[in-house]
Amino acid sequence: MVDTVIAFHQAEVADHADWRVEGAHPTPAGNLVPDGVVLLADGASAFVEIDRTMSYARLIAKLERYDAYRNAPATGRGNAARASRSHWQETYAGPHLDRPFPLVLFVFAPAPRRAAPDTREATFHERARNIGSVNYKLTVATTTLPLLTKTGAGNAVWRVVGKGHGEERRTLAALPKAR
């Protein structure tokens, strides 16, 4: 996590102080606990998952938990000025619901007795592209920690997960927005 925070800070896409680590977010399927949530320099937020040893099944389950969080029903009461909103909208969308659901970023880091980060990233893409909301309601992008630390978080290091997306790497600013 520290190397990821430093890469974002050095690229000036997020300040080192604009990170929250392992905060729980309620979903109908139980709490979603991202490794980190970062406030980006453009005012948007992003969820960040650092993977070293998690199984592909658990990674996909985590991605499905993001989908559940995004689709959770509104909570609380609205008022005459505005309708009730879901937790993610209250927390991340801003006062007028003008922001899409935050980016979901996966960083694949090296780990002993595990496949190389590039291999893990490619396999994750194969498995995650079939989740219904990916590429539509969720923008999911991946990179490897070696590429992130060498090239920088603001450069073209991110690969978009989903059907119709190739091997092309993009900058954070060039990632598609969720609908």
Side-chain angles (χ1 to χ4, degrees), residues 98-120:
D98 57 347
R99 290 199 179 111
F101 190 79
L103 297 169
V104 180
L105 305 174
F106 282 82
V107 178
F108 292 90
R113 297 184 309 277
R114 294 302 248 181
D118 292 342
T119 302
R120 292 185 56 73

Side-chain angles (χ1 to χ4, degrees), residues 1 17-23 25 34-39 45 91-92:
M1 179 59 90
D18 289 333
W19 287 78
R20 285 182 296 140
V21 179
E22 295 190 352
H25 295 69
D35 291 334
V37 179
V38 60
L39 177 63
S45 296
T91 308
Y92 302 109

Side-chain angles (χ1 to χ4, degrees), residues 60-98:
I60 297 303
K62 189 114 187 209
L63 192 53
E64 289 169 341
R65 186 72 50 97
Y66 279 104
D67 190 36
Y69 181 57
R70 197 252 175 243
N71 291 312
T75 56
R77 287 188 271 175
N79 57 38
R82 100 179 145 74
S84 60
R85 302 177 339 156
S86 68
H87 185 270
W88 86 261
Q89 291 167 323
E90 286 290 341
T91 308
Y92 302 109
H96 304 292
L97 299 178
D98 57 347

Side-chain angles (χ1 to χ4, degrees), residues 12-32:
E12 298 180 359
V13 296
D15 189 71
H16 67 280
D18 289 333
W19 287 78
R20 285 182 296 140
V21 179
E22 295 190 352
H25 295 69
T27 78
N31 281 338
L32 165 69

